[in-house]
Amino acid sequence: KALSKLYEELRTDFIREKVDRSLKKHLSSLESPPNLLRTANCFCIGRVGSSILLLSISNDVRRISIDALGQAVGDFGSHEKLGFDLGAYVGDLAFEEDSGSEDISLEGLQQELEECESDEVVANILSSGAKLREYAKGVENNLRKVELDSIEDYIKESDNLVSLHDQIHDCDSILSQMETLLSGFQEEIGSISSDIKILQEKSMDMGLRLKNRRVAESKLAKFVEDIIVPPKMIDVIVDGEVNEEYIRTLEILSKKLKFVAADPAVKSSKALKDVEPELEKLRQKAISKVYDFIVQKLIALRKPKTNIQILQQSVLLKYKYIISFLKEHGKEVFMDVRAAYIDTMNKVLSAHFRAYIQALEKLQLDIATAYDLIGVETRSAGLFSRAREPLKNRSAVFALGERIKIIKEIDQPALIPHIAEASSLKYPYEVLFRSLHKLLMDTATSEYIFCDDFFGEESIFYEIFAGPFSVIDEHFNPVLTNCFDAIGLMLMIRIIHHHQLIMSRRRIPCLDSYLDKVNISLWPRFKMVFDSHISSLRDANVKTLWEDDVHPHYVMRRYAEFTASFIHLNVEYGDGQLDINLERLRMAVDVLILKLAKLFPRPKQQIVFLINNYDMTIAVLKEAGPEGGKIQMHFEELLKSNTSLFVEELLVEHFSDLIKFVKSRASEDSSSNPERYITVAEVDPLVKDFGSRWKTAIELMHKDIITSFSNFLCGMEILRAALTQLLLYYTRLTDCIKKIPGGSGLNKDLVSIQSIMFEIRKYSKTF
């Protein structure tokens, strides 16, 4: 039922909307369509004069009637009467059914009602139980109120709307005029755009022509600038002095000469015919002038006491561009200057080195001769040739001593001969050798850098130093041939090694070949001298060398000092070739010292002689290097073995019966051989003999050792070893007596172990 009521209400609303649309359509055809005002049951469709036309629709009748209500509503021409209640006048209007009206179609309404069934708002209205007619009437009243408010607002603003309409009409007129004006402007702008395009094309064409002209102007200006010969340049080249301004002018002239010679386009130009002769004259004049200038400077180098390096750095290098100019534009003159400089420096440096070498030779101290060999006796002929030399110089033949300082002072300045000569100082040759090569390195470094900077080539250095190298070789070769100082030769080898490192750090390669040549010449000479020392040991006359003295032999001392010197010189270098030579020398001295020892008549003397020599050798080697080495270890083994032999010899000398018994009988097993029983009668003499003189024997042993061994510490070490061995022998004797039947009867004669230990400690305190 609720849906049926809703259906009827919607049907009525639908009819009203249809009428509304039809009426609007009809009114739109009127000349002056009235404003349409709608209330709940009627429409106000406009006014005719002072009357309002209303249209009323009845719910049941479709006929439309129009009534004139002008007098009831009042005059709408006055703008002051706008607030009235239209509902009071139009609420009862009714429309009669018009049989001629078109039929209303309700197709699809049922479907829409079914869709609204689930609508929440519709469901709330139906569930409240309100009558749909009343609810719809309330809604209609609200709508009527809103519409009337809207109509009133519209009526209030009617004048403004009319004014707005007039303003819009005026604006349309103005805009129309503006449109006409802008259309004219557009036409004019179109013509201006075409003119601008034409001007732009002309501008681009002019810009291109300007660019081409500028390029042509720059090239022409550069051509003119490069080819013209300014009068000032002529004056400077011809009449000016060679100074910094002259050098700058030479640079300008060089650029012009290069420009004329290099550019093919210039050669075909007419301007060249006028300029080329003048440029050639200027070139020849400049070459002649700078040649004379350089020759004068080279002559200054030949003057005595001239500081060559200062002249090179402060004068010649300032004008090094002259050499570049001659090299480019006067090759023949450049070669003449080059040859003149080489000849000048060759002679100057050769003279300087020759004078320095002559001064050094006055300071030389000869260390060794051909007779100063390890295996040569001191009473040989060589003694007469050295009779006037101080003994301290003789010691330097085999000992390194203070000569090692030359390695630590490797980078010190070279000796100044006249100062050393005034002090009456003499130096081993390796000191002079270092000074000479230090001067050579410094001079060569300076000259090499100057030649590279001034002439731009390194090869000129070797041509210059051919003379100084020859002077040094003339001095060094005879010295090397007559050098028999093996230590000095090894020091020179080490000096050359350090000089090579110095030149490497300087990054100056000019002396590499020379230093290699010197090093190569030193090694064969060293090998020859070293082999002569080995040969002197192998070929030594033992009888002439032998002396009836068990103390260290002078040959062995020479060997020890000689070997220690080379060990010291090889610590930082690890030269395997030198180690091999030292091993050969050791083998030779081992054979010689054994031959000398055999010349002593008693074995004990032989052993003492060997111990003294070995001990001395070890002590000297330890001074050279605390770590020792193979050679030191070898002599330590020999010392140990000979010490054991001496201890046995010493004990046998004083306690022969005791030692013989302990070695032969004390170790026998009596149970296996009853016939070999040890008896008290056999042991009793040994015990009484030992008890009566053991302290005296130890004292004699002590005195013997003190007199036999030159090294007190070594002697005390041997004495302690002898006493320890004696204690071991006596302990074995007492152990043997304990096993003998009736051996306890000998206890009264036995010396207690504590007494012997006390005696050993007494000598240990002395030690």
Side-chain angles (χ1 to χ4, degrees):
K1 292 180 181 181
L3 288 175
S4 298
K5 290 180 181 180
L6 181 59
Y7 174 78
E8 289 298 331
E9 292 175 358
L10 291 176
R11 180 174 176 275
T12 302
D13 292 338
F14 182 75
I15 293 171
R16 185 180 292 109
E17 289 177 2
K18 287 289 286 183
V19 173
D20 207 355
R21 286 196 299 270
S22 298
L23 184 57
K24 287 181 179 179
K25 183 178 180 182
H26 173 71
L27 292 176
S28 63
S29 63
L30 295 178
E31 182 177 356
S32 297
N35 294 323
L36 181 62
L37 301 178
R38 183 179 183 279
T39 63
N41 295 314
C42 67
F43 294 91
C44 175
I45 60 174
R47 65 184 179 182
V48 179
S50 61
S51 301
I52 295 176
L53 299 179
L54 298 176
L55 183 145
S56 177
I57 302 175
S58 175
N59 291 335
D60 301 321
V61 184
R62 295 184 180 179
R63 187 176 58 195
I64 300 173
S65 62
I66 300 175
D67 187 12
L69 301 177
Q71 295 179 354
V73 175
D75 191 359
F76 271 56
S78 176
H79 299 293
E80 298 175 357
K81 299 178 180 180
L82 297 176
F84 56 88
D85 187 5
L86 294 176
Y89 296 97
V90 300
D92 296 332
L93 290 178
F95 287 88
E96 294 181 358
E97 183 178 1
D98 185 4
S99 59
S101 63
E102 62 181 350
D103 294 335
I104 304 299
S105 175
L106 299 178
E107 182 180 359
L109 182 59
Q110 185 66 32
Q111 182 179 357
E112 292 179 2
L113 290 175
E114 291 176 356
E115 291 176 357
C116 290
E117 183 177 1
S118 61
D119 187 86
E120 183 178 357
V121 177
V122 176
N124 290 334
I125 295 171
L126 296 177
S127 63
S128 64
K131 295 182 179 181
L132 296 178
R133 177 71 62 182
E134 294 178 357
Y135 188 83
K137 187 175 181 180
V139 173
E140 288 292 336
N141 291 332
N142 292 334
L143 289 175
R144 181 189 305 173
K145 183 178 180 182
V146 171
E147 289 176 357
L148 291 176
D149 292 339
S150 298
I151 292 170
E152 290 179 359
D153 291 339
Y154 179 81
I155 292 172
K156 290 178 181 178
E157 297 295 330
S158 59
D159 293 337
N160 293 334
L161 293 174
V162 172
S163 174
L164 179 61
H165 179 267
D166 295 338
Q167 292 176 5
I168 292 173
H169 184 269
D170 295 338
C171 287
D172 288 341
S173 300
I174 295 171
L175 291 174
S176 177
Q177 296 174 3
M178 291 291 293
E179 182 180 6
T180 304
L181 182 61
L182 291 175
S183 297
F185 285 164
Q186 185 175 7
E187 294 175 358
E188 293 178 2
I189 290 172
S191 62
I192 292 172
S193 176
S194 61
D195 294 341
I196 290 174
K197 188 174 182 181
I198 295 171
L199 291 173
Q200 185 177 8
E201 292 175 355
K202 291 182 179 180
S203 175
M204 291 177 65
D205 182 58
M206 292 175 66
L208 181 60
R209 285 186 289 175
L210 177 61
K211 182 179 179 181
N212 293 336
R213 289 180 181 179
R214 285 179 177 174
V215 172
E217 180 186 2
S218 63
K219 291 185 177 180
L220 183 60
K222 187 177 184 305
F223 174 80
V224 172
E225 181 182 356
D226 290 340
I227 203 169
I228 63 170
V229 181
K232 183 179 179 181
M233 186 178 76
I234 298 174
D235 295 339
V236 173
I237 294 295
V238 175
D239 301 325
E241 295 182 359
V242 179
N243 51 26
E244 293 182 1
E245 183 183 4
Y246 196 90
I247 297 299
R248 290 194 295 269
T249 307
L250 275 184
E251 293 177 359
I252 297 172
L253 177 60
S254 176
K255 289 180 181 178
K256 293 184 181 299
L257 292 172
K258 290 179 182 178
F259 175 74
V260 170
D263 196 338
V266 177
K267 295 180 180 180
S268 60
S269 65
K270 294 182 179 180
L272 181 62
K273 297 178 182 179
D274 298 332
V275 175
E276 189 172 17
E278 300 300 325
L279 288 175
E280 180 62 23
K281 292 178 183 178
L282 288 175
R283 184 187 71 84
Q284 293 178 359
K285 182 63 178 177
I287 289 173
S288 174
K289 201 163 190 176
V290 297
Y291 174 76
D292 294 338
F293 176 79
I294 291 295
V295 169
Q296 291 298 322
K297 298 302 178 184
L298 295 182
I299 292 174
L301 292 173
R302 299 185 180 185
K303 294 180 180 179
K305 298 182 180 180
T306 300
N307 192 319
I308 297 174
Q309 294 182 4
I310 292 179
L311 185 61
Q312 288 174 337
Q313 298 297 324
S314 61
V315 178
L316 292 179
L317 280 181
K318 290 171 59 178
Y319 301 101
K320 67 179 181 179
Y321 181 76
I322 291 176
I323 301 301
S324 300
F325 181 83
L326 293 176
K327 189 184 292 187
E328 293 176 351
H329 306 293
K331 192 69 176 178
E332 294 179 359
V333 177
F334 167 75
M335 295 305 295
D336 292 341
V337 171
R338 184 180 184 275
Y341 180 80
I342 291 173
D343 181 65
T344 298
M345 292 304 298
N346 189 313
K347 292 179 180 179
V348 170
L349 293 179
S350 297
H352 284 184
F353 276 100
R354 186 175 288 106
Y356 187 73
I357 288 171
Q358 292 173 354
L360 288 180
E361 288 175 347
K362 298 177 181 179
L363 305 176
Q364 182 175 350
L365 174 65
D366 292 331
I367 298 296
T369 66
Y371 300 99
D372 291 317
L373 301 173
I374 297 175
V376 175
E377 59 175 323
T378 56
R379 295 184 297 273
S380 65
L383 180 63
F384 299 100
S385 63
R386 307 178 61 84
R388 290 178 294 177
E389 289 190 11
L391 184 61
K392 63 178 182 179
N393 296 337
R394 297 294 306 280
S395 65
V397 175
F398 306 105
L400 181 61
E402 298 295 322
R403 298 172 73 181
I404 190 63
K405 289 183 178 180
I406 195 66
I407 301 298
K408 299 176 182 178
E409 300 171 355
I410 193 68
D411 209 20
Q412 293 296 316
L415 285 176
I416 301 175
H418 67 272
I419 296 178
E421 189 175 0
S423 303
S424 300
L425 296 175
K426 298 288 185 178
Y427 301 96
Y429 183 73
E430 67 268 10
V431 177
L432 310 182
F433 180 84
R434 185 205 70 86
S435 293
L436 176 60
H437 285 81
K438 172 64 175 174
L439 179 64
L440 176 64
M441 285 195 306
D442 294 342
T443 306
T445 299
S446 175
E447 189 63 29
Y448 180 84
I449 295 173
F450 173 78
C451 290
D452 186 38
D453 196 6
F454 190 68
F455 289 96
E457 54 180 290
E458 301 173 359
S459 60
I460 192 173
F461 168 85
Y462 300 99
E463 298 180 49
I464 293 171
F465 266 76
F469 287 155
S470 177
V471 171
I472 295 173
D473 289 342
E474 289 176 3
H475 156 74
F476 182 65
N477 290 335
V479 171
L480 187 63
T481 303
N482 296 314
C483 181
F484 298 93
D485 182 10
I487 295 175
L489 289 169
M490 181 53 62
L491 284 171
M492 286 188 276
I493 291 172
R494 298 305 183 219
I495 288 169
I496 288 294
H497 173 73
H498 283 284
H499 283 173
Q500 288 174 325
L501 294 178
I502 291 171
M503 295 301 289
S504 176
R505 287 195 294 269
R506 292 180 182 179
R507 298 186 179 181
I508 303 296
C510 59
L511 291 182
D512 288 353
S513 59
Y514 171 79
L515 294 176
D516 288 340
K517 184 187 74 171
V518 174
N519 192 43
I520 291 172
S521 65
L522 284 170
W523 271 107
R525 183 63 188 178
F526 170 77
K527 183 71 164 51
M528 190 274 292
V529 174
F530 200 92
D531 287 345
S532 66
H533 283 283
I534 296 175
S535 299
S536 70
L537 293 173
R538 291 174 178 173
D539 303 335
N541 188 342
V542 180
K543 293 182 179 180
T544 58
L545 289 177
W546 183 79
E547 296 176 351
D548 190 11
D549 186 1
V550 295
H551 290 87
H553 198 276
Y554 63 86
V555 171
M556 199 64 179
R557 179 170 292 279
R558 289 176 183 176
Y559 163 78
E561 293 175 347
F562 192 73
T563 302
S565 299
F566 288 107
I567 290 175
H568 196 174
L569 288 174
N570 202 33
V571 170
E572 298 180 0
Y573 305 94
D575 195 330
Q577 187 64 34
L578 182 58
D579 290 336
I580 293 173
N581 288 325
L582 290 175
E583 185 65 21
R584 292 170 58 224
L585 184 67
R586 181 200 59 78
M587 294 170 65
V589 82
D590 278 347
V591 174
L592 178 62
I593 201 67
L594 289 175
K595 289 180 180 180
L596 290 173
K598 289 179 181 179
L599 294 178
F600 287 95
R602 296 170 53 198
K604 179 182 174 184
Q605 289 179 310
Q606 297 176 8
I607 297 172
V608 170
F609 176 75
L610 291 174
I611 290 175
N612 280 327
N613 283 280
Y614 292 152
D615 179 67
M616 179 272 301
T617 303
I618 292 170
V620 174
L621 293 178
K622 283 182 177 180
E623 294 179 1
E627 297 179 359
K630 293 182 179 180
I631 296 177
Q632 181 178 325
M633 292 173 61
H634 169 76
F635 284 108
E636 287 175 350
E637 290 293 329
L638 291 177
L639 177 63
K640 183 178 179 181
S641 61
N642 281 276
T643 299
S644 299
L645 293 176
F646 176 78
V647 167
E648 289 297 323
E649 286 291 334
L650 186 63
L651 293 177
V652 167
E653 182 179 347
H654 295 281
F655 303 100
S656 58
D657 295 337
L658 172 64
I659 294 173
K660 182 178 179 181
F661 174 81
V662 170
K663 288 183 176 180
S664 60
R665 301 298 306 275
S667 58
E668 291 182 359
D669 187 3
S670 301
S671 60
S672 60
N673 190 2
E675 295 179 358
R676 297 285 297 172
Y677 279 146
I678 300 174
T679 63
V680 173
E682 187 178 358
V683 177
D684 183 59
L686 297 175
V687 173
K688 291 181 178 179
D689 179 66
F690 183 84
S692 62
R693 64 183 187 88
W694 69 277
K695 288 186 178 181
T696 304
I698 291 177
E699 183 64 28
L700 292 174
M701 289 168 57
H702 176 257
K703 291 180 179 180
D704 190 6
I705 288 174
I706 291 296
T707 56
S708 298
F709 297 104
S710 54
N711 185 353
F712 177 77
L713 296 178
C714 177
M716 291 300 99
E717 191 70 30
I718 293 172
L719 177 60
R720 187 169 61 178
L723 295 178
T724 302
Q725 186 64 31
L726 176 62
L727 179 62
L728 291 175
Y729 283 136
Y730 191 73
T731 302
R732 291 176 64 185
L733 176 64
T734 56
D735 292 340
C736 180
I737 292 174
K738 292 178 182 179
K739 298 177 182 178
I740 299 174
S744 58
L746 300 176
N747 290 340
K748 63 181 185 300
D749 297 323
L750 285 174
V751 179
S752 65
I753 300 298
Q754 289 77 11
S755 299
I756 300 175
M757 289 293 296
F758 175 79
E759 200 69 19
I760 293 175
R761 283 194 293 270
K762 183 176 69 173
Y763 286 102
S764 296
K765 291 179 181 179
T766 305
F767 170 72

